[in-house]
Structure formats: C-alpha cells, structure tokens
Amino acid sequence: MALLVEKTTNGREYKVKDMSQADFGRLEIELAEVEMPGLMSCRTEFGPSQPFKGARITGSLHMTIQTAVLIETLTALGAEVRWCSCNIFSTQDHAAAAIARDSAAVFAWKGETLQEYWWCTERALDWGPGGGPDLIVDDGGDATLLIHEGVKAEEVYEKTGVLPDPASTDNAEFQIVLTIIRDGLKTDPKRYHKMKERLVGVSEETTTGVKRLYQMQANGTLLFPAINVNDSVTKSKFDNLYGCRHSLPDGLMRATDVMIAGKVAVVCGYGDVGKGCAAAMKQAGARVVVTEIDPICALQALMEGLQVLTLEDVVSEADIFVTTTGNKDIIMVDHMRKMKNNAIVCNIGHFDNEIDMLGLENFPGVKRITIKPQTDRWVFPDTKSGIIVLAEGRLMNLGCATGHPSFVMSCSFTNQVIAQLELWNEKASGKYEKKVYVLPKHLDEKVAALHLGKLGAKLTKLSKEQADYISVPIEGPYKPAPYRY
Amino acid sequence: MALLVEKTTNGREYKVKDMSQADFGRLEIELAEVEMPGLMSCRTEFGPSQPFKGARITGSLHMTIQTAVLIETLTALGAEVRWCSCNIFSTQDHAAAAIARDSAAVFAWKGETLQEYWWCTERALDWGPGGGPDLIVDDGGDATLLIHEGVKAEEVYEKTGVLPDPASTDNAEFQIVLTIIRDGLKTDPKRYHKMKERLVGVSEETTTGVKRLYQMQANGTLLFPAINVNDSVTKSKFDNLYGCRHSLPDGLMRATDVMIAGKVAVVCGYGDVGKGCAAAMKQAGARVVVTEIDPICALQALMEGLQVLTLEDVVSEADIFVTTTGNKDIIMVDHMRKMKNNAIVCNIGHFDNEIDMLGLENFPGVKRITIKPQTDRWVFPDTKSGIIVLAEGRLMNLGCATGHPSFVMSCSFTNQVIAQLELWNEKASGKYEKKVYVLPKHLDEKVAALHLGKLGAKLTKLSKEQADYISVPIEGPYKPAPYRY
Amino acid sequence: MALLVEKTTNGREYKVKDMSQADFGRLEIELAEVEMPGLMSCRTEFGPSQPFKGARITGSLHMTIQTAVLIETLTALGAEVRWCSCNIFSTQDHAAAAIARDSAAVFAWKGETLQEYWWCTERALDWGPGGGPDLIVDDGGDATLLIHEGVKAEEVYEKTGVLPDPASTDNAEFQIVLTIIRDGLKTDPKRYHKMKERLVGVSEETTTGVKRLYQMQANGTLLFPAINVNDSVTKSKFDNLYGCRHSLPDGLMRATDVMIAGKVAVVCGYGDVGKGCAAAMKQAGARVVVTEIDPICALQALMEGLQVLTLEDVVSEADIFVTTTGNKDIIMVDHMRKMKNNAIVCNIGHFDNEIDMLGLENFPGVKRITIKPQTDRWVFPDTKSGIIVLAEGRLMNLGCATGHPSFVMSCSFTNQVIAQLELWNEKASGKYEKKVYVLPKHLDEKVAALHLGKLGAKLTKLSKEQADYISVPIEGPYKPAPYRY
Amino acid sequence: MALLVEKTTNGREYKVKDMSQADFGRLEIELAEVEMPGLMSCRTEFGPSQPFKGARITGSLHMTIQTAVLIETLTALGAEVRWCSCNIFSTQDHAAAAIARDSAAVFAWKGETLQEYWWCTERALDWGPGGGPDLIVDDGGDATLLIHEGVKAEEVYEKTGVLPDPASTDNAEFQIVLTIIRDGLKTDPKRYHKMKERLVGVSEETTTGVKRLYQMQANGTLLFPAINVNDSVTKSKFDNLYGCRHSLPDGLMRATDVMIAGKVAVVCGYGDVGKGCAAAMKQAGARVVVTEIDPICALQALMEGLQVLTLEDVVSEADIFVTTTGNKDIIMVDHMRKMKNNAIVCNIGHFDNEIDMLGLENFPGVKRITIKPQTDRWVFPDTKSGIIVLAEGRLMNLGCATGHPSFVMSCSFTNQVIAQLELWNEKASGKYEKKVYVLPKHLDEKVAALHLGKLGAKLTKLSKEQADYISVPIEGPYKPAPYRY
C-alpha cells in the first residue's frame, strides 16, 4: 500500500484499506453499541459536559468495531482523536473505514507490514507542529515506546550529534523504529521532546505494556504519568479471562473448522488468559494439558482437572497448541518438528515472540502453504508432516476472528475512558507523577455496575448495620485493595 | 445466475459459483481428509476392489468440504457421481469448485433461489436418457421427494392426460416442484418412472428425511428401499449432538460476534440437536432455558440444571433463541415483537419453517437491514426495536458458519458409504424391500472404531470368559438393539 | 444375628436390626415423600380404588428410605407386602425398622452374611402354605432366581428322587441357594411349584436382572411374565445416570473424605452408570480416564474430553478406580498390586464380581485394616503399599452412602408401581405371556410428567397443526420406540 | 459433660468425648498423611533441626483429622501443643482422641455448648502459672479475642477495681466470655497480661479472624504480631474455593440425602467461598442463583451463567439456600416463612449469624423436629410448611460432614507451619511489629510446589533468557504482589 495520507471531505486525515466498507462498519458499530452499556453510559453521564473539550487523544489499540465505540465515546465527550492499531493483523477494515469517515483520523488496515505498522503509529502521534497528543491510549506500549526512544535519541543527538543507527541492532522491527526516529530527527530534532512536554499521560491496556511501564518506573525513565488499566479487576479478570474464553474457539473455528471435542489441547501458561483458554477448550470437549512455571497457577490448573506437564511431555501427542505466557520462546521449531501432522499452533498473547516463527521460516526445506489468509500449513521436508500456524504467530483471536466480543470490551474500555478522564481532569493538580497508577476500587466497581442491567442482574443492598459489621461504606468499595476476586 | 450447465475440459457437467476457488477448496479438502479417518479407511479398505464400478450415485446433501471428502470416497470406490446441495445457503463454493473440477458433476452454490435450488436438484438426478441414478444419498429427502412426486404425476397424466398444475397449491416451493415435473412430463412422460426403475435405493441422512420415509413406508407409497443413516448411533448421537454443540456457537460468533457468556439463551427442543445446542450455550457461560413438549426430554434438561419453561414465559427476557424441534411454527412474529432489542433468532433444524419468516416479512412496516449476508436486523415500526435473524431462518450453522466439523461428519458419512455399499452389493439379492432399514449394530460399532485411533484411544478387549458372562461375541456387537447409549 | 422371625404387636413378621430406629426412619421417610412426587401421585390417583386389594407382593430390593416410600405406596394401593434387600450392605436399618413396625413384613439389615441374605430372601417369598406372592418386585433377580432354581430342583427330585447337592458347585453363594432349596424340598416338595402357579409376574429393576430374564426368555425357561422396568427411559437414563452421578461422590466422600479435585479417576465402563460416574468425577475436578470395550461408548467418552485407555495403561498412576461394567473380573489382584499407595478401589455395579476380592483376600501375606465399616485398607506385604477397598467390592453407593437420592428413585419406583399395576390388572387377560416386556412409551412419559412440577418446569403444548405435522398425538407419546434420548 | 480435665498416663491434660476412638482416629490420621504432602514435607525438611524446641503453641482451630496432622507436624518440629476447636460442632471425636492420647493436650468434642466451648478455649490457653503460649494458631480469632478482652478487663480492673460484668451485654456468647475473664481475674489479676507478654505472635486462618485483626491494627489495639495466613494465595484461593466446592455437597448429602440435580440453589455471596459453593451446585446439576452486594463479584457470577438476583426475588422458588457472606442477617425468619416446604437452609461462613436462628427459635408456635443431629426440620404453625436447617446455622460442612478434605487443608496448614516458624525464628529480631503480615510470595509458591508431585504434575523451568525477559528470578517468585490468580 502506498503510504500516502488521504483526507475526508471535511479535511480529516486517514489511511485505511477500503472506504467503501464504512457503511458496513457503521451497522456493526450500531450493533456493538447495544452490547457496550458501560461506554454508552459514559456518553450519557459525561457527554453533556464535554470534559475532553480541547484534548487531543492518540490511540494505539486494535482498530476493531469495539474500539470504534470507544473512539466515538471519546469524541462524544469532546476529544479530538487520531488512531492506529497495535497489531498488524488486528484491524477490522470496515471499522477503520467507518471511523475514518465519521469520527477520527485512522491509520490502520488488516495485514500491515512492519514498515507500514510503524508508519501508522507515527502518523497517529503526529498532531502537527504544535507537538503530539495530550493523552495516549496504548495497548502493548508501542506508542509510548516510540516517544521514549525518540526522546532518548534526541538527547544523544543533542549531546553528540550522532543519529540513531538502524544497523546497530539485528532486531528487524527495532531497525524500523530507529529509522523512523532518525528520519524525524533530521526534520525536527525536538519532535519527541515536544511530544513529551505536551503529554498529560498514558493509559495502558494490556499486561505486556504494563510490564514495560513498571520497568521504566523502576529504572526512573518513565517520562509521564501512566494509568495501568490492565490491572483493574474489571479488565484483567474479565477481558483477559472471559474474552479469551470466547475468542480462542472462535479463532480456531474460523481458521481451521477443526472439531475441538476429543482433541488434546496444550495451553502454555495458566494466567488469566490461559485460564480462559483452558476453560474454553475443556468446555468444547478437548482434553487439556497446561504448561506452567508458577507452582500456584499449576496447582489451580490441577484443581480444575487439567493435567500439568511440560511441553516436551506432550508435544508429539497433542492436536492444538496455544501460547498465552507473555514470555518468549515458548514453542520452538524443534517442538514443531515433533508434532503430529496438522497439529495447530497459535498464540493469543500480545507479542509474536512466543512461537519461534523465525526458526520455522528458516528451517531448511520447510514449505509454507497458505490455506487462506492467517492460516498456513508448514510442511517439514523430512517427514512430509505439516503443522498449521495461525495468524503467523500473532494474536490469533484478532488475526483469525474478530477479537473479544463487545460486552467484555465494554468493561475494558470503560476503564480506559475513566482513566483518560482522570488524567485529563487532574492534569494541573499534580495528583499524578511520572509513575504507574491503578484506578481506585470504587471506579472499578462502578465499571462492573454499569454492566449488570444489560444482563438482568439485581444487586443486594447492604443495610447500615451490615455495612458497619463488615466495616465498608454502604455504597462500597466493598473489598480491600489486595482482594483477588 | 443464468441456469446454464457448464462443462469441464474433460466434459463433465457442473454449475458452481466460481471455478477459481477450486485450488482453495482442494487445500481445505486435504486438511479435512486428515480429520476424517472413517472415510479414509473406507478408501484404503474398499478402494482396491472398486465395488462401485458402474454405479451412478446422485447426492442431495450440503455441498461442503466434508461432503467433498465423501464424494471423493465414493469416486475412489469406483462410482460416478452427480451432486447438488439440500439447502440454498449451505454450499461452500470453494468445495463445490474443487469437486466440479476434479471429481464429480456438481450443481450448487451458496445463496441459491428456490428456483435455482430445484433446478440443481433436477440436474443432479438427470443422468441422461437411460434413466436416473442407481443410488441416492439424500439429506432431508428432496431428491426422493422429486422422484416420488414425478412418478405420481406421470401416473395421473397417463390415466387422465392431466398435467400437474402449480397453481393447485399455495406453497411457493411446491409450485416450483410441480413446474419442474410438468415441464419434464412434456418432454418425457416416463422420465421419473425410468428413474424409479433403475434406482437400487436411497440412504437418508437426517431426522426430517427419515420421518418422510417412514410415513411413505406406512402409507405403502415408498418406491424403493431406503437405509436410515440418521438413526445409526454413530450418526444421530454424534453429528446431531456434538456437531451442533460445535457449530451453534460457531455460527453465532461468525454472524454476530456476540458475547454468549452472561446471556439468556432459549433452546426450543431438547432432542439430540437441542441437547448439543443447550450444552454449547451453557458451556459458553449463558443461562439456558429449554422449551419442550416431551416430558422425558424436559426432565433430562432439568437434570442438567437447565430451566424448562414455555417460550411465552421468557420471550421478553432472553437474548438468543435457537429452534431445534423439527416441527413448524415455533417462533412466530408475535413472539418476535415482544423480544428485547437485538435479540438473536435462529434455527438449526433442517427446514426453515420453525421460525415464522413469512409473518415477519409481511409484518406491516417492518424494516430489514442486512448487516452482512445471512445476518439481518429486522426493525418493528412501533417499538423501533430490532431483532437479528440469522440465515433467513434456515440452518444457521451452515448458513453463517461452515456446518459441522470434519471429524464428526466422518462418522456420519462413513455410515453413508457403508449404507451405499450395502444397497449396491445387495441390489440383486432381494435383501432390501421397499422399506426403511437401519444399519446393523456391528457396522455402527465399526464406524466408531475407525475414529478412535485418531484421538489416541485404546479399547479394552473382552476375555472369552467375560464375553460369555455377558453373552456377547468377543468382537461385538456389544449391545442389544434398543440400547440407548 | 439369630435367624428368628419376630412379630409386631399386630402379628406381622419381621427381622430387622434395631426396632428403636423406627421413629428416625419415619422422619426420613416423611422427608423422602416430599422428594418423590411420582409415588405420591400414584397414591392420590390410585389409592381410592385400592387396585392391589388382595394382592401379595414380595420385594427383593435395597431396603432403603426410598424403597420404604415405594412399599407404602404399594400398601396404600391395597397390597400386602413382604420385603428383603437385594444386597448385604444396602439396607438402611432405620428404614427397615419403620416399615417393619408400620407397614410390611421386612427381613433385612445392613451387613448380612450371605447365609443371612438368602434366609431373608426365602422369608420374603414365604407367604405360608397357600403358596408364594402374587407379584414380585425384583432387583438383580435373586428372588426370581430362587423360584426358578427351586422349581428346577423339584422337577429333578420328582423324577429322580435326588435332592440338590450344595457340594456340586464351588460357588459359595450358590451352595447356600442349593441348601435352602434342599431344606425346603424336604418339608414340601411342591413349595416352589406352588409359588410359580400363583405368581402373576415380576417387575425387574436393574440391568443385571434384566439380562438374566432375557437369557431365560431366550432359553425358554422363564416361568412367568416379566416387565423390564430397567429399560424404561425414566429408569435407565435417570436412575442409572443421574443417580450414580450423585451417589458415587457421596460414597467416596463418606467412606474416605478424599479430595476428588486434582486426582486421576478411572471409570471402567461407559454405559449409563459409567457416564454418570465419569461426569461426577470430572465435575468434581478429577481427570477422568475411561476403559471400554464398546467403540461407540468409547467415542462418546472422547467427545466429552475424557481419555480412553486400558486399565493396564493407567493402573499405576490413578488415584480412584470405579467399576461400572456389569461384567466380571475387571480389576484383578494383579492390578491392585501395581496401584499407588492408598489408591481407592470400588464398584458401583450390581454384583460384587467386578473386583477380584477373592484374589485379594487370598493374596499371600496381604493384611486387611478396617478403617471403619465398608472402608478397608489392604496392605501388600512386599511393597507395604496399601489400597483402599470400599464396601468389600459391593455397590459402594449403597454400602458407603445411602444410595440414590429420593427424587431419581421416584422415577424408577413409579415405573415399578405402574408395572405391578399392569401385571395385576391384566392377570386374567392373557395380555402378558411368559416373556419380558417393557412399559409402553406413554407410561414412560407419564412417569416423567409426574416429576416436572416439583422442579418448577412448564411443558409446551403442541397445536393440532404441529402434532399433525410431526405425526404424533397431541398428548403423546412423542417419540418412536427406538428413540435414544 | 462435666468440665473436668483428665490426664493421660504420661500426665498430659485433655478433655475429649471418647478416648476409645483413638485407634480409629489414628487410622484416619495415617490416611490423611498420604493426602497432605505439604505437611509431611515440612516434617522431612525441618524435623531434624527441631526448630520449635521449647515453643508452646496453642491452637484454636477445628479439631479434625486434618488438624491432627497439623498438630503432629508442629510436635514433630519440637513444639509442645495445647488445642481446642473453634466451633462447637466441628470437632471429630476420633481425631481429638488420637491426638489427646498420642501428641498434645486437646480440649474439644463435637456438640459443645457455648459454655463448654469457651471453657475449652481457656484450657487451651492455660499453660500454667508461667503465662500462656508462645504462639497461637487461630481460626476466627477467638483465642486472640479472649486475650485481648482479658487484657482490657485487667487494665480496667487495675485502674478502677471494677470487674467485668456479664450482664453488661445482651449477647449471650459474650456474657460467657466476660464471666470467664471475671473468674480468671479473681484468681490472677495479671493472667492475660502475662499471656500477652510471653506471646510471640498469632497466625490466623480465616477471613473473619483476619478482618478482626486488621480492625485491631487500624485501632492500634493489636497486642502482638499477626500473620494473615488466610490471604496466602495457597490458602484463600484453594481452601476457601476448592475446599467448599468439595464440602458443600458433601454436607448436603450426608445431612439430607437430597438430590441436588434439578433443584434451584441460592448462594448468598460470591467471594471465594461462594464461588466454590456455586460451582459445586452447578456441577451437581442445580440451577444456581447468586445474591451479591459487590458489582464485580456479581458480574463474575453472570459470566459463569449464574443468575444474580436478590433473596426476595427467589425466596419462594428455591430449594437450597447457602450463606457464604461473612456478614450477618442474611437469611431472616421472614425469608424462611416464605420458603417452599422442606427448603434446605444452611451456612458455610465462619460465624453463625448469617442465618437468623434466634428469630426462628422465637417464632411463635414454630416446632423443631430433629431428624438427626445437625439436621432439624422447623415447622411454621400457620402453613404447616417446614424448612430444614443444617448444623443449627453453623458451618454446615464441619457440622454435617467432615469439613474440607485433607489435600486442600494441607495447603492451608503448610502456610500455618511456615507462619509459625517465621514468627518463632524471628521472635528476637524485631522483624515483626504489632501488625498484620502476609507471607512473602516465595513461601506461598513453595507451599504450592510441595503439592504438585502428589498429583503427578511437572513444572516447566524458565531459561535464563526467559526469566530476564519477564524480569523474574528463575526460581521465582513469579508474580507481582497484587497479582490476583
């Protein structure tokens, strides 16, 4: 795709695959709104006061139908928005088109190259000469990373006159990042510094991005406040768990049509995502084997009747392999060679380094047969046996299906809206330092409460005596901070 | 689509949507073969002796990837094959293309009109002047119906000279059937008699078709032997149950992306199909309400923790409605008007008369908004509230997803192959009269046995003493005929 | 226990463990009545007309609280009743006491010797000089067996003057049977012939007894009509399945307090009983391995995510072993020796020959440590490793817990009442020959219907058009005979 | 029972119900040891160094078989131990007898009066003139409470000469506490001060006791360090959840034999205990309704397919009611009057104030019928309808069954041993102030690790590169403190 920015009739920039899908996108956005009561409540509650008036928000988060409802909630509250996806396969092109046409500057399409991906990220951050966004919605931390790396390079350049050198790394993706920063430096050596100055803060969506933020906080290199949305209970214990429980079988079925019942499924990692995946596979009639490094999570798996083994123990017997660890080098090419013919290998963790795609691609004589987009059969030369890799090792639920369903994303994204409001409202108060924060429990409980009515639930009310007896306010919050749910 | 028969380079007739999808179809067929051990075993066991040498087989059965593997099993055993689909939405066009190009005469595409549907059926039965097929593989009984109606009309015509009159019925579909027969009569008044003469028998796939056959047997109007494949244990207790357990959520997710967890799902009917559907919804985290007429099935639902109510009791509270009854007039337009906004209404039974589509279409002021093919939102004028109807009330798992997965269809279709072999091998022996038969239990057990190895199972062997103790042969069959599994 | 018959103040015979438990038994009977709507409906519907007026009924069926409600339903309908248990461990002594005091002649206690067991059976059949019972309620067929063996012996004796010789068999239990018959012969050489003459028929409760009846029918040796209650859908698909799903974990927990979650449970046999057992273990968090001889049942297990292996494959890894096969020699002493320390071995099938108790008892140097009644630890001399055997290899749910719960037994026993009524009402009509019959479907459906209200269920009613469309009467029966549910 | 202390032959004090049950207790203790790998590992690891040499430990914790293994682990590590139960119904008399005979001073029996209960507690704390214990193992906090109230009363007495006045409260139980303190004061006005002085710390087992401790910490009234064992992941997410999932159905079945399948079960509260209870009821085939005050927990229930309503919504339809809230006044007598005949009402929370037993007992004309110990039917005079209350509203799993199974208690109790060791080893270091602490995560993970081998699990090992990538040590701990599991 030629990397040229286009403009809508009213002058808003965008770059999407096919603007003619905007009507389809709009219809699906309207369906999703009915399933996203938290976001719609935010529009009702906050819309009239336009709290984001004057705020520029950049988002780097899977450009799906659900995200479209998030974006239009932000704009309904007064914000101006630019957006890119945080994964090369996760954009839904009809969602991107509808938003680009109607609401915000979008730079995203399904099937970006890495080059295109970072171009989009850079476009989403570029608000013109006056600096970058006021706020960032990040997922995985790539927008945050680009600014941090940019500032770092600008500092080196200022001190030494040395430009970043893409050849200094053999990580192909980081070479692209450095190239972008280098090219930016040539036109404006303060580009990222200006961004940093303007930025009020970031709210981060996912485990992986949060981990990066805590590392920067620990190193003292974090440049602006961050709210960790991932660790809201209504995010990590819902989206990660119930979202994946829904979208793993969805992705498997759309990509391969394989019968799950009767199969042996290996779930690598038994955190929230792994728990959702294992539950989904068990419920669909598979026999599930879990691999874990953490004895507590392993014991939880056992209590659910799952077998806990190492990958080596089951690699040649299992039919479906899913990585959920957030770690790297989980399924290596040597594992893949030992698998049964047409074993399915996929990843549902944020980054694509859980599966050794590089090892697979470089295996001598290996042959790749693309069944359909995001579904490849790789055949090893010696055995003529093939394995099926989904979404090239990237997030299979977004690559092969449509990601998490609207209802659970409404929980996550309502946290995002609340986090963005919090950062913006407190921008002058000094409440938030250059640290990582989680939302207070009463807001977490509020997010949950906004989602009960849609499901017909009725809450019980504490009496004054009961509230006193357990030492909580009648209206909550009801649990101490470390409560695990 | 212009109803013109096309021909492959080697002269075989076909009519499919897009021959360029044949390569894609072939790749998916190859994947499916790995998942269909029963069919592949038939090729290994029977292929060398070419038992179907000289046999003409017509199939009227969803033209999917799985059916493609069935067709190529029949041709691998020596048969010549012509095929059509038994549902206007169920054809997978890449499967049809691959088979049309490589193996058999196919007349099928996704999204046929009823006119086109019956044209395809008639094409599949037309083997030229020498009469029709030797064998029929039927699903729902439409091919069988056409021959029976044709013969009836020819008899009337012979006696009275009166041609069938499409205007004599107000059933739109039956008008088409009568038109086809009338037009055929004009060119050859013995067309269907010749078919009947040649026909060795039919093997019928599904509950609905089987019911028709038993009615004809009871009325004494059945024209040829029939094997009821549906009531093989390895069909009805597998395909109907586990197949739907897989394909109901698959269809819901592909059509609507709706989160199933937390929703109220109403499953109308708790037979094998209903059991599979209810299990799927429960496992996905829905709260399930069952409607039933049969107290035994109702009590089974209760024992699984499901609520049993009438549709009227829950129509305004539920989120998802699925019909599985095999009966008619289950969800009427008056029910639909009372549903929540964006309630999902779908059918997974064979025929499309479970949901009152006619009532819906004719409701004054109702508005149909097509979200995407097979997913329509219907908005009522008074309430502005909409419901979402899948696959226009037809089989939603085939209309919105890809039907049952290969592995379970391998069970069903291995029964089909065995039934066809049985009819053909006994064509001269008089073993089969003009009645409906089920396969003997030892063949049913054989079908199951062929599917165990793929799943890593190991059977226990009876000792002689044990076999004697329970009075069965060591090699089976192990159960008396009425055993319910 | 001294085998002396006692008498109540009003002269009814009995032999129970402890009459002082009658009040406790009565309280539990009253609780059970609330849970047994089918039986209570029979009292309401048939009680006023006293259909069993003049009928003598002998029952040989676990003398539990639930059976007490059955017995008092029979007496409420006018019958006179004598009862024994059909298993040496299954009597609940408080139930026996309450019935003995209030309603019927009971000969049963928990922990009978085999000698005592057959004495009780013989007492229950002994209605005095005028012959035996008019009707038998049998479970496992021991009462039926005694009469058949008695008649056979009397015929031999009449022809040859030879008395049965207990020494002619090395089956210890059959020696006792022969002794009883021999002693009876000495006092009345026509004792069993008179019984046979009077007997209208038997209704048989369980798979094992039914199998015996069909064998006698096949051999032409069946002496009176029999109704196979076991194969009513509302019996075998409820009591066997849901009853065992309840009572297996109940028995395990009462006997051993073992945590089921996390353990490996092996279920031998995947019929109705095995399905219930496997479901219970899976739901409680165990990992379940099934052993099967029948490929169809094996494939069903696989579809539920269970592993199917041979006992040899898992004998040294599993924690809990349950036999459900109805066959013999399933778990042999050589298996037991290979088990983990404190592996639990139990049987839930009718007879005690599934587990090789004889082999265990006779194993050189083996040591038995009774933890508590029905819970024994057997220690092998070489390994010092022990296994825990429940209920001495007999029905563990009755030996270690209280058997199936009232609600599901109400289904089974309502079938019994209906079967007994049917035999008695048709005693003169010749409707029933010396064959085995199942109840017609409309009665089966009626039994289910009687149990819906208690669970708050509401049935849907067919319209006339719908009933016609599927060719069933509006009021049922709704399914063809071979329907499998 | 006469409240006289008895002595073993070697002079150790005790008061138990029946010393003749000691052998039976020993057998069950030996079985439990096999199921408690964590405790047995502690014996192996720490036994040789006798770390508790010289330590006096008082425990107030359900005197069950599992606790017996805990006690003997403490003594195996060198401690001297005195023990009482923390609930009047939870003692297993055979366990108490075995420990009293063999290992420690036990004051506990099943069915204590409140008077007896506090006498036992006081005995367990009484180590003679030299002061009280060095360490306390507490469950619910009653031992801790007695010392705190004692110290408070002594201070008042010292200042004012006023003795505590039992008549100053209308809480019957607290009257007893004050009486005991008053009587103690008369003999030794420094009794509890001496205890406080000697005490190194307490480790508290359960949510309720922990809540009390945090309140005392907040008020500044906590007299010694406390370790919160409850909030170890391997305690609250295992014992509370999986323990109750096991023991709720166990208690229901032993107490009532009721069929759970098909019933409507209301679980009040959806914390860890409620989650376990709801899962158990759902798995057993009940339809589950949850009541909750916390919207997050409510949304979790919905995601599992459970209905969330208020008690009022379902009180007249449900069959089984379980309270798990840790709050008071959950099921009031006015609720009970509206329930169905023979609805079952029980509590599995620590204290007996969740169910309004006082209101029930004082209801005019109500009649109590004791079916058997811990199972009472209460009949209301107007409706003649009864409800069944288990364990008089106290912990039903300990009152009606045997509490949690050994394996899961091994997790909890290994935490206890580690906590006691930590307090004792650090007694002089000043590491622990008068605050509440949780165990560090690496010890929590260690507890889990000790339980994997028994279940056949194999952990995966991180490589150095992987550990660095996710910034954890190779050997753990693997998760940040707030991780929720």
Side-chain angles (χ1 to χ4, degrees), chain C residues 237-416:
Chain C
K237 295 289 273 189
F238 284 81
D239 172 352
N240 300 13
L241 178 64
Y242 304 117
C244 291
R245 193 177 69 176
H246 178 104
S247 63
L248 171 66
D250 191 10
L252 281 172
M253 292 191 285
R254 295 199 208 205
T256 70
D257 294 317
V258 78
M259 184 151 198
I260 299 168
K263 297 299 194 303
V264 177
V266 177
V267 177
C268 301
Y270 199 66
D272 288 318
V273 170
K275 284 176 172 74
C277 290
M281 292 297 95
K282 183 180 180 186
Q283 288 161 349
R287 185 157 66 81
V288 180
V289 179
V290 164
T291 72
E292 249 301 344
I293 57 161
D294 181 328
I296 297 178
C297 296
L299 196 54
Q300 289 183 305
L302 291 161
M303 291 294 105
E304 299 300 337
L306 310 176
Q307 201 166 8
V308 178
L309 293 171
T310 68
L311 188 54
E312 285 67 26
D313 293 321
V314 290
V315 71
S316 59
E317 291 170 36
D319 301 284
I320 299 168
F321 297 82
V322 191
T323 57
T324 78
T325 67
N327 206 329
K328 65 175 185 177
D329 298 343
I330 304 305
I331 301 183
M332 307 307 290
V333 70
D334 276 345
H335 293 123
M336 297 186 236
R337 291 180 63 197
K338 294 175 188 146
M339 291 178 183
K340 285 164 71 172
N341 184 29
N342 284 7
I344 297 168
V345 177
C346 61
N347 166 47
I348 200 167
H350 187 84
F351 281 123
D352 66 342
N353 54 357
E354 306 211 12
I355 299 172
D356 178 21
M357 289 308 295
L358 203 68
L360 181 60
E361 284 155 19
N362 294 336
F363 191 84
V366 78
K367 193 174 148 202
R368 173 180 177 172
I369 301 162
T370 297
I371 310 294
K372 57 187 178 188
Q374 336 291 355
T375 307
D376 294 299
R377 185 164 186 262
W378 293 80
V379 184
F380 290 102
D382 40 356
T383 60
K384 301 298 175 203
S385 179
I387 61 164
I388 296 170
V389 178
L390 305 190
E392 304 184 14
R394 287 177 166 77
L395 273 170
M396 61 79 73
N397 56 345
L398 279 156
C400 300
T402 61
H404 292 175
S406 300
F407 187 83
V408 82
M409 292 314 297
S410 179
C411 293
S412 302
F413 287 167
T414 306
N415 278 292
Q416 282 286 8

Side-chain angles (χ1 to χ4, degrees), chain A residues 361-420:
Chain A
E361 285 156 18
N362 294 335
F363 191 84
V366 77
K367 193 174 151 204
R368 171 179 178 173
I369 301 162
T370 297
I371 309 293
K372 58 188 176 186
Q374 336 292 356
T375 306
D376 294 300
R377 186 163 186 263
W378 293 79
V379 184
F380 291 102
D382 40 357
T383 60
K384 301 298 174 203
S385 177
I387 61 165
I388 296 170
V389 178
L390 305 190
E392 303 184 13
R394 287 179 166 77
L395 274 170
M396 61 79 73
N397 55 345
L398 279 156
C400 299
T402 61
H404 293 175
S406 299
F407 187 82
V408 83
M409 291 315 295
S410 179
C411 292
S412 302
F413 287 167
T414 306
N415 277 292
Q416 282 286 7
V417 172
I418 289 174
Q420 292 277 311

